[in-house]
Amino acid sequence: MKSKLKFIVPVLLLVLGGAYKFVLAKPSAPAPKPKVDGQVYVLPKEFLINLNGGRFAKLSVGLVLDHSQATAEAGGEAAAKPPEGFGTLPQEAVIRDLVTDTLTDGSADNLVSEKGREKLKSRLLLSIKKKTDVKVEEVLFTDVAVQ
């Protein structure tokens, strides 16, 4: 009888544990969706932009890259080291040119107000999508100082 109990008790505990896990226990909550969908790439060099009225702005620009663009970057497409102050993003010089062209001689009010910044970001996003092969989902102004 004792030898049968040595075999039956562990099997019974195993069955009860499995029943609890699959029937009675609450299922785990799914992982929350990320708030930023993509990889954020900050252009390494700041921009110093001349605005109208003798004013200027100093700002940093970030890009939220599409997942396909982010994985291509992680794979290290470019084997050569980029020039000093530039990152590894292909066509980064074109993006810098578009940012400079869009913001130069603009109104300081556009960079100071939230509505103005959002309009500028939208214009930049459209320009980047139209004139480059970089797959960008969003443009960010990470630091903005207007004087």
Side-chain angles (χ1 to χ4, degrees), residues 51-112:
L51 302 173
N52 63 14
R55 299 181 77 180
F56 67 92
K58 189 173 187 179
L59 69 142
S60 298
V61 176
L63 307 171
V64 178
L65 301 176
D66 182 83
H67 288 291
S68 62
Q69 185 74 35
T71 54
E73 291 307 305
E77 280 181 5
K81 185 178 177 186
E84 184 71 28
F86 289 91
T88 58
L89 185 68
Q91 303 178 15
E92 183 173 327
V94 177
I95 292 172
R96 292 188 64 82
D97 180 60
L98 291 171
V99 171
T100 303
D101 286 349
T102 302
L103 300 179
T104 297
D105 203 31
S107 168
D109 294 336
N110 286 341
L111 283 171
V112 174

Side-chain angles (χ1 to χ4, degrees), residues 8 36 39 41 47 73 75 77 122 132 145:
I8 293 175
V36 177
Q39 179 182 356
Y41 177 82
F47 290 85
E73 291 307 305
E77 280 181 5
S122 295
T132 70

Side-chain angles (χ1 to χ4, degrees), residues 46-51 56-60 111 143-147:
E46 293 180 326
F47 290 85
L48 186 58
I49 305 291
N50 291 317
L51 302 173
F56 67 92
K58 189 173 187 179
L59 69 142
S60 298
L111 283 171
D143 297 310
V144 177
V146 177
Q147 189 169 347

